[in-house]
Amino acid sequence: MDRVINFNTVSDYSKFNKNETLHPLVSIVDLSKAEPRLGYKMYFNLYCVVLKKTNCGDLTYGNSIYDYQEGTLVFFAPGQIAGNSNEAFYQPTGTALVFHPDLIHNTSLGKKINEYGFFSYNTNEGLHISDKEKKIVQECFQMITSELNQSIDKHSRKVVSSNIELLLNYCDRFYDRQFITREHINKGILEKFEELMLTYFSSDEPLTIGLPSVAYCADKLNLSPNYFGDLIKKETGKTAKEYIQNKIIEEAKNRIFGTDKTINEIAYELGFKYPQHFTRVFKSRTGLTPNEYRVTLN
């Protein structure tokens, strides 16, 4: 998979997939028109929303491989690299919405595009949609296509960006539904997180790595940081950072109560660079300093 294809413009993506470019900043691309292809890497300088309706190859993203299933949406943002790992020719199918960042500059969507965290999800965290949801997505695509088939005027950019915003708002809703319907999977991830914390604090990693970060935990759980954060928020009502800090404080309480080590020693063992930082975090969570907590227990 050495071949790298750069998509810097909407025209680049449309031409690669043998589609006509009706607007320089946005296109709805029928992937079935593309020629059969082998594995390759893609660099996106665009936003891309892909609706895959059949198995069309294993897509890699980071260190993960994802096998598309029918009715799956995957999202890419500028600066991201993805790739297809197929070793045999295959025929792509499905539909892609691709748009340049310039399209949404100074628009309502442009001001909130970073709020759609799923653009930073891994491909194995794709949005699996029902037939009813797929129909809504296709209708959004059709509205954008209809507008692109009109003559470009001063309203075109605003209308198209509004329709894209509508689509992304629906995707936000569908992801909320997916977090709920995959609750048993989410519980399994939380259990693995608990095991991860136990392993972490029983090892030497706090001394070498420091405090466990959201990115560290997400990587160990084979999740993207954004997906991990959203999952924790949906399941616990806390941010991922708050949730991790709670686990650190629980471990700190056990060590304060269960050992005769100094507070400074405990702070360093937990991964804090400075004992003062440990004291501030502990007090913000418990209302007591570590020393006050130890005295209270005794």
Side-chain angles (χ1 to χ4, degrees), residues 8-58:
N8 294 313
T9 68
V10 167
S11 179
D12 289 341
Y13 190 82
S14 297
K15 287 180 180 178
F16 179 72
N17 290 290
K18 305 299 181 183
N19 277 241
E20 181 183 3
T21 302
L22 299 178
H23 191 289
L25 298 179
V26 58
S27 186
I28 298 292
V29 176
D30 180 356
L31 298 176
S32 66
K33 293 182 179 180
E35 295 179 352
R37 59 187 61 154
L38 284 168
Y40 56 90
K41 288 183 179 178
M42 300 174 289
Y43 173 80
F44 287 89
N45 199 26
L46 310 163
Y47 290 98
C48 191
V49 180
V50 183
L51 172 62
K52 293 287 187 177
K53 60 182 180 180
T54 60
N55 187 325
C56 62
D58 293 340

Side-chain angles (χ1 to χ4, degrees), residues 277-292:
H277 181 206
F278 170 53
T279 297
R280 286 198 303 271
V281 172
F282 192 91
K283 187 171 183 178
S284 70
R285 295 288 172 178
T286 67
L288 299 170
T289 67
N291 274 320
E292 289 171 341

